[in-house]
Amino acid sequence: MGEMRELLRMAAERGARYVEGVRERRVSPGAEALAGLARFREKLPEGPTEARCVVEMLDDVGSPATVASTGGRYFGFVIGGTLPAAMAANWLASAWDQNVALRVMSPVAAELEDVVLGWICDALRLPAECDGGFVTCATAANFCGLAAARTSLLAREGWDVESDGMFGAPPIEVIVARSITRPCKRR
């Protein structure tokens, strides 16, 4: 038990040091840090590696090669910032190691999801009977939104896509944005 506590303490200290220093470093990793990633490329070990050594290598090699998205100067993709409460909750959730697919698999996760969905409905001033779900990323959220819209639009036309499938369904209009690019000038 003492070895596990020491490993978690070491990871917490290294994680805290990373977060505390992230505002002082450049946003994108430098060439030296990127070149250092080659240290990860090694043959499959014949036996186990000490957990301490794994965490040390992840931090020593991996941390410098991260994009400093939590530092306040990152304006790239939509990435949530690391707040101390969120990081600590993430560590606790990792320790719980729950599968949140069904309420019976993780009552606490299901309850917390219900609470947060209620908060979202309140914040958006939606009716109390509204419901929702969490997905893994923005792409999955967009996909789910399109599927829900398709189901709703076809239902208005008297078509049950879940029971009847898409073949023979009434046509629906879909409007998508198209990226406009200019051809390169050839010299």
Side-chain angles (χ1 to χ4, degrees), residues 175-183:
I175 300 171
V176 296
R178 188 178 126 215
S179 179
I180 300 173
T181 58
R182 295 191 174 125

Side-chain angles (χ1 to χ4, degrees), residues 83-151:
L83 299 173
M87 185 183 304
N90 189 344
W91 289 352
L92 186 57
S94 291
W96 288 350
D97 192 27
Q98 299 291 284
N99 183 326
V100 298
L102 302 169
R103 184 171 289 274
V104 70
M105 297 172 81
S106 180
V108 66
E111 185 64 25
L112 291 173
E113 183 175 288
D114 288 346
V115 168
V116 172
L117 287 171
W119 289 348
I120 291 170
C121 289
D122 286 348
L124 297 175
R125 293 180 170 78
L126 296 171
E129 62 272 6
C130 281
D131 206 352
F134 291 100
V135 294
T136 58
C137 61
T139 300
N142 287 329
F143 181 79
C144 290
L146 287 170
R150 176 203 63 195
T151 298

Side-chain angles (χ1 to χ4, degrees), residues 23-186:
R23 290 183 181 274
E24 309 308 318
R25 58 166 276 198
R26 57 184 282 163
V27 172
S28 60
E32 185 178 331
L34 294 174
L37 292 174
R39 286 186 48 205
F40 287 133
R41 301 233 175 226
E42 58 183 42
K43 289 188 175 217
L44 178 65
E46 293 289 325
T49 303
E50 285 185 48
R52 178 187 52 77
C53 295
V54 173
V55 173
E56 285 174 355
M57 186 174 184
L58 284 171
D59 183 35
D60 294 346
V61 177
S63 289
T66 61
V67 174
S69 59
T70 63
R73 293 174 289 120
Y74 176 80
F75 298 102
F77 301 100
V78 178
I79 305 215
T82 299
L83 299 173
M87 185 183 304
N90 189 344
W91 289 352
L92 186 57
S94 291
W96 288 350
D97 192 27
Q98 299 291 284
N99 183 326
V100 298
L102 302 169
R103 184 171 289 274
V104 70
M105 297 172 81
S106 180
V108 66
E111 185 64 25
L112 291 173
E113 183 175 288
D114 288 346
V115 168
V116 172
L117 287 171
W119 289 348
I120 291 170
C121 289
D122 286 348
L124 297 175
R125 293 180 170 78
L126 296 171
E129 62 272 6
C130 281
D131 206 352
F134 291 100
V135 294
T136 58
C137 61
T139 300
N142 287 329
F143 181 79
C144 290
L146 287 170
R150 176 203 63 195
T151 298
S152 178
L153 289 172
L154 289 175
R156 290 181 195 167
E157 299 295 320
W159 190 268
D160 182 350
V161 71
E162 277 76 27
S163 297
D164 303 327
M166 286 297 296
F167 290 107
I172 57 175
E173 189 172 339
V174 178
I175 300 171
V176 296
R178 188 178 126 215
S179 179
I180 300 173
T181 58
R182 295 191 174 125
C184 295
K185 292 182 182 179
R186 302 199 184 240

